[in-house]
Amino acid sequence: MFDLVIIGAGVSGLSTASYFASKYKKWQILLIEKSSHHGRGISSRNSEVIHAGIYYPKKWLKSRLCLEGNNLLYSFLEKYGIPHKKTGKIIVAGNDQQETAIKKIYSNAVSKNVNGLELMTQNQVRMLEPDVKCKMGMYSSESGILSTERYMDVLLSIYKGDGGYYLPETEFKSVNNSGNKMNVTLHSGQDGESQIATKYLINAGGLNATSISENAGFTQVPNVYYCKGHYFKVHGVRNSFSHLIYPVPDKTYLGTHVTIDLQGEIKLGPDAVYMENNIEDYSEYLSEKSSFIESVKGFWPKIDNYEVVEDMIGIRPKLYSNDMNAKDFIIRDEAEDGYPNWISMYGIESPGLTASMAFGPYIDREFFSNTR
Ligand SMILES: Cc1cc2nc3c(=O)[nH]c(=O)nc-3n(C[C@H](O)[C@H](O)[C@H](O)COP(=O)(O)OP(=O)(O)OC[C@H]3O[C@@H](n4cnc5c(N)ncnc54)[C@H](O)[C@@H]3O)c2cc1C
């Protein structure tokens, strides 16, 4: 009998497991992961950017948890010596329309008390990044980059150190209610099917979060739309930017940006291409290099001097397709389907990495504190 079972060892499951194991020392907690290694899903295929919480509407979870997560994450990375860098970021406008959009983004962010923002003239941007061409820009000092792999390794080892149980190669199969506990069926390659019981359960299954809930028999599961983000690497250039450079976002994603990693290498992307099927397939590039370069060229004309090669693909579990308005994360209990102690995390796309350390405290405050 466990107090809490968590499905999925990506950043959401790992940070949540580690929060509860350290806060409730007497709880028996089990984290399960279907793969042989933690963090090989969405969490290992992203930009590794620590966002400042600039874009989303004030009341959205994406906004609140990103702001809270940003602070918690920097403190955690400092405390455990995990490689990271507060690089700062510049959003650039190339024309009047984009300038108006940036000013709107700026006032929205200021109204949410996002720290470290400054509107900049073309010359001010050039002083920071001589290769960037723009009409004006917005600077954010609280944006940065981290080693996600190291972050996840440290979370897992802290969790285990606090007495948490971890089972890789173990998949959630089904659940049924029995009094005030849930009986959960798991499947592992080694042991086949097994049954456990738990009081609480958190579904942090990333791309599979909705199918896990469907397997549980829930009837109100939101639709998910897989959306590929392709990356390209720029060869033969290193340390030519010291900030992250972003265009003005559109309604579905932040725009093809220039990211630097901790070694100073430059990556372009991701773009956003909806997939026809919700299949976790990373093999096929659905984007053309040329159109990709074209979208960056507006603010980085020197891109033409370099060789650009395919790098990697990530997939977002979006809760909206490209003809719908953007939607917030959904983190909710499944009381409507008779499971008040089952918490589902749906649509954990960007800024989920930044928000990850805020998920555990949020779930504790919203769902667990009244029932204990
Ligand atoms: C292209 C791209 C760029 C991004 N860039 C950024 C960024 O720069 N900054 C930022 O803050 N966020 C970013 N994000 C978002 C961020 O990466 C995600 O929000 C975060 O990694 C989601 O983590 P997760 O733990 O919810 O999912 P995952 O990492 O996918 O973890 C879910 C885990 O559940 C496991 N699982 C699935 N089904 C089962 C089952 N039945 N039983 C057991 N285990 C199961 C999976 O194997 C997986 O390991 C980006 C995302 C993408 C796709």
Side-chain angles (χ1 to χ4, degrees):
M1 172 75 193
F2 290 93
D3 296 284
L4 172 63
V5 169
I6 296 167
I7 305 171
V11 287
S12 305
L14 286 164
S15 62
T16 306
S18 135
Y19 168 82
F20 282 107
S22 108
K23 182 147 184 214
Y24 301 114
K25 303 275 187 212
K26 289 190 179 148
W27 280 21
Q28 300 287 309
I29 302 179
L30 173 66
L31 172 64
I32 61 162
E33 167 54 51
K34 75 175 162 77
S35 307
S36 57
H37 197 282
H38 58 280
R40 291 288 186 262
I42 314 172
S43 299
S44 61
R45 295 170 166 276
N46 59 60
S47 307
E48 303 193 288
V49 169
I50 304 169
H51 289 296
I54 293 169
Y55 301 100
Y56 308 101
K58 192 172 178 172
K59 290 196 174 146
W60 279 24
L61 281 181
K62 282 183 178 173
S63 209
R64 287 153 48 202
L65 299 181
C66 182
L67 279 169
E68 190 181 330
N70 175 293
N71 284 324
L72 292 171
L73 186 55
Y74 277 121
S75 310
F76 185 85
L77 299 173
E78 284 292 328
K79 183 170 172 188
Y80 292 99
I82 298 165
H84 69 286
K85 201 169 174 187
K86 210 182 240 191
T87 53
K89 148 177 167 176
I90 309 172
I91 307 174
V92 292
N95 57 39
D96 291 348
Q97 210 184 345
Q98 291 174 356
E99 180 170 348
T100 311
I102 284 196
K103 288 182 176 159
K104 230 174 166 176
I105 292 169
Y106 176 79
S107 8
N108 174 48
V110 167
S111 78
K112 297 192 298 181
N113 300 321
V114 176
N115 293 326
L117 301 179
E118 190 183 338
L119 289 175
M120 287 187 164
T121 62
Q122 182 184 39
N123 283 343
Q124 285 173 309
V125 173
R126 282 247 171 89
M127 298 270 280
L128 294 178
E129 292 293 357
D131 286 348
V132 168
K133 185 180 149 200
C134 67
K135 197 165 176 278
M136 55 84 68
M138 185 183 116
Y139 173 73
S140 153
S141 65
E142 297 309 295
S143 309
I145 49 177
L146 80 156
S147 163
T148 313
E149 187 165 356
R150 197 71 199 103
Y151 170 52
M152 293 193 285
D153 289 349
V154 172
L155 283 172
L156 183 58
S157 95
I158 293 175
Y159 165 69
K160 285 182 181 167
D162 281 328
Y165 297 96
Y166 174 56
L167 284 179
E169 291 186 78
T170 303
E171 199 169 347
F172 166 84
K173 282 290 169 196
S174 62
V175 66
N176 60 63
N177 257 335
S178 157
N180 59 355
K181 63 180 173 36
M182 291 172 264
N183 291 325
V184 179
T185 304
L186 306 176
H187 184 272
S188 84
Q190 272 186 344
D191 304 330
E193 286 210 346
S194 58
Q195 309 278 333
I196 54 154
T198 182
K199 178 168 185 201
Y200 297 112
L201 186 146
I202 297 172
N203 169 7
L207 290 164
N208 290 125
T210 48
S211 62
I212 288 168
S213 288
E214 277 158 8
N215 288 344
F218 302 157
T219 56
Q220 312 291 325
V221 183
N223 287 331
V224 68
Y225 306 86
Y226 283 14
C227 180
K228 269 190 177 174
H230 305 81
Y231 290 88
F232 288 82
K233 205 175 225 165
V234 185
H235 263 317
V237 55
R238 203 181 254 235
N239 296 321
S240 57
F241 292 109
S242 47
H243 302 80
L244 307 163
I245 314 291
Y246 280 61
V248 174
D250 75 8
K251 74 179 171 88
T252 51
Y253 82 116
L254 299 183
T256 302
H257 43 269
V258 172
T259 313
I260 41 177
D261 65 18
L262 289 161
Q263 287 70 46
E265 299 226 353
I266 296 178
K267 257 195 301 202
L268 308 180
D271 59 356
V273 181
Y274 280 91
M275 298 168 71
E276 278 177 17
N277 303 308
N278 286 348
I279 296 172
E280 193 175 352
D281 171 17
Y282 300 104
S283 61
E284 199 190 352
Y285 260 67
L286 302 176
S287 283
E288 289 295 326
K289 182 165 79 175
S290 54
S291 65
F292 216 91
I293 292 174
E294 213 45 49
S295 58
V296 174
K297 209 159 148 180
F299 60 88
W300 186 26
K302 278 195 182 166
I303 182 74
D304 276 342
N305 301 346
Y306 305 111
E307 190 193 355
V308 174
V309 294
E310 288 180 3
D311 184 44
M312 67 158 187
I313 295 171
I315 302 177
R316 308 166 179 90
K318 283 191 179 286
L319 298 178
Y320 49 97
S321 65
N322 54 357
D323 54 3
M324 294 160 78
N325 286 329
K327 288 190 183 160
D328 199 3
F329 296 150
I330 296 178
I331 303 178
R332 69 167 192 221
D333 65 38
E334 301 289 357
E336 275 196 31
D337 272 302
Y339 285 82
N341 289 341
W342 172 302
I343 310 302
S344 296
M345 302 180 69
Y346 298 126
I348 309 300
E349 52 165 331
S350 193
L353 169 59
T354 311
S356 55
M357 296 227 79
F359 289 146
Y362 174 76
I363 290 171
D364 198 14
R365 285 194 303 268
E366 292 291 313
F367 305 102
F368 290 177
S369 49
N370 295 335
T371 58
R372 266 197 308 277

